[in-house]
Amino acid sequence: MTKYKARRLQGGWHRHLLAGLSLGLALILSPLEPEAQTMSTSTIEQKLQALEDGAALKTLVDTFSNLADTKDVTAQLLLFTEDATVSSVSSGQPGSSFKGRKEIGDAFAGYLANFETVYHINGQQTVELNGDTATGTAYCLVVLIADEAGKKIKNTSGVTYHDEYVRRDGKWLIAKRTSNFAWRDRQELGQ
């Protein structure tokens, strides 16, 4: 019997998992400077808040994409501030720009109506926190399928979102988004 199986059968595997989690938590919460041997409660709270904020901003970006995929523009608009701006850049050239939830909602609904399938695949995201504001960059692969003259056409884009976020009433919202369409691919789908 292997050591792993023996440990698993003895119920010891959970101690290894807990030890790994404890080590991971210790690394996250440990100070980076060697001379700082003790950590104040406020520093721990700040680090935990930063972790929570980072997770909330990732959820915000992912929720935006999920709602786009289901074409739920009404719910999607609640992820933006009332006075938010959304603009696009395509191949380095400025594109459309919208301000406020109404204008953004009309644009999103009109655009999404052109496609029978909308599919976002979110990738890496980095954020820089500054109290109740933050900036972030998120990468996304967007697949849009439309029926054009009886043919299924798939449009795939590599998009980088450059966002500005604000926390209002304890909730993170998008205040400004620039969607940079770095590349596009268009192809007819086979039957």
Side-chain angles (χ1 to χ4, degrees):
M1 183 179 314
T2 67
K3 288 181 184 180
Y4 172 75
K5 284 183 182 176
R7 252 190 260 135
R8 197 172 92 210
L9 290 173
Q10 293 169 0
W13 63 270
H14 68 280
R15 285 191 296 273
H16 295 284
L17 177 62
L18 289 174
L21 291 173
S22 296
L23 176 61
L25 185 58
L27 290 173
I28 290 170
L29 297 178
S30 68
L32 298 176
E33 304 81 30
E35 65 275 1
Q37 295 300 315
T38 60
M39 185 181 296
S40 69
T41 302
S42 64
T43 303
I44 292 172
E45 289 172 358
Q46 289 169 344
K47 287 186 176 191
L48 287 174
Q49 185 64 56
L51 290 171
E52 287 177 4
D53 289 340
L57 291 170
K58 175 68 173 147
T59 299
L60 175 64
V61 169
D62 288 346
T63 301
F64 169 87
S65 293
N66 290 348
L67 293 170
D69 292 351
T70 60
K71 301 182 185 184
D72 189 347
V73 174
T74 302
Q76 199 177 35
L77 289 176
L78 298 177
L79 304 176
F80 290 87
T81 61
E82 289 283 345
D83 60 347
T85 60
V86 173
S87 58
S88 65
V89 175
S90 185
S91 301
Q93 299 300 312
S96 57
S97 186
F98 308 100
K99 183 166 178 68
R101 284 183 179 165
K102 167 99 172 82
E103 212 172 279
I104 293 168
D106 291 345
F108 283 2
Y111 184 71
L112 293 174
N114 294 313
F115 306 100
E116 55 189 49
T117 301
V118 179
Y119 197 85
H120 289 69
I121 305 167
N122 287 342
Q124 67 271 26
Q125 177 192 27
T126 56
V127 296
E128 189 170 320
L129 299 164
N130 187 14
D132 287 336
T133 63
T135 56
T137 301
Y139 285 74
C140 186
L141 186 67
V142 180
V143 179
L144 305 167
I145 300 175
D147 185 343
E148 296 180 16
K151 296 179 181 178
K152 300 284 184 208
I153 304 297
K154 179 174 79 167
N155 296 281
T156 307
S157 299
V159 184
T160 308
Y161 296 119
H162 300 282
D163 293 335
E164 293 179 17
Y165 310 106
V166 63
R167 183 184 357 235
R168 296 223 174 119
D169 298 322
K171 181 179 177 183
W172 284 103
L173 299 170
I174 302 168
K176 181 178 181 183
R177 167 164 279 187
T178 301
S179 304
N180 184 2
F181 291 82
W183 58 268
R184 293 177 195 243
D185 181 48
R186 178 181 162 90
Q187 61 181 294
E188 183 178 343
L189 294 177
Q191 301 296 341

